[in-house]
Amino acid sequence: MKKLVLDMDSSVSETYGRQEGTAYNGHFGCMCYHPLFCFNQFGDVEFALLREGNVHSAKDWRTVLEPIVARYRDRDIPHFFRGDAAFANSKIYEYLEESTSSMSFGCPPMMSYTAKSSIL
């Protein structure tokens, strides 16, 4: 392996009935679990965590990411991390910088605006 690319994302696992930990998720519009996955560049699951349905997409990111980083720490290869906007926060940035990983976050386009100013 010449490099490690980790891709973290949450998913929805719709439930029916009264399973423990299932909850309504307004984003997905259903009763569900909200698992968190981390895949490598080959599509292999490096870690999966079953979570309650009403948690934020990035909740428990450290629980998932730390064992993976530790597993590959001694390999002399570059580490890359991809995540969507849910994972774009300062705690994750700081952790990845400390672990010498490069980062890439997919964020939705921001609405642009033009501020009007005048010279006084």
Side-chain angles (χ1 to χ4, degrees), residues 8 58-59 61-62 65 81 84-99 103 105:
M8 187 177 289
K59 183 178 182 344
W61 65 267
R62 188 179 292 271
L65 195 55
F81 176 83
D84 62 18
F87 301 96
N89 73 59
S90 61
K91 291 189 187 293
I92 296 175
Y93 295 160
E94 290 168 6
Y95 175 77
L96 292 170
E97 285 175 354
E98 290 170 6
S99 68
M103 299 169 266
F105 294 92

Side-chain angles (χ1 to χ4, degrees), residues 5-74:
V5 180
L6 298 174
D7 192 349
M8 187 177 289
D9 204 359
S10 64
S11 186
V12 61
S13 181
E14 194 167 356
T15 59
Y16 303 91
R18 297 179 183 259
Q19 291 88 352
E20 183 179 347
T22 191
Y24 184 78
N25 185 304
H27 178 75
F28 296 113
C30 64
M31 295 293 288
C32 63
Y33 292 112
H34 194 183
L36 182 60
F37 296 98
C38 190
F39 298 92
N40 63 29
Q41 69 266 31
F42 305 111
D44 301 323
V45 176
E46 292 282 346
F47 202 106
L49 180 66
L50 184 63
R51 306 176 302 165
E52 293 182 352
N54 58 354
V55 299
H56 184 272
S57 293
K59 183 178 182 344
D60 300 317
W61 65 267
R62 188 179 292 271
T63 301
V64 172
L65 195 55
E66 278 185 338
I68 300 168
V69 170
R71 184 179 321 135
Y72 290 100
R73 181 168 281 129
D74 294 335

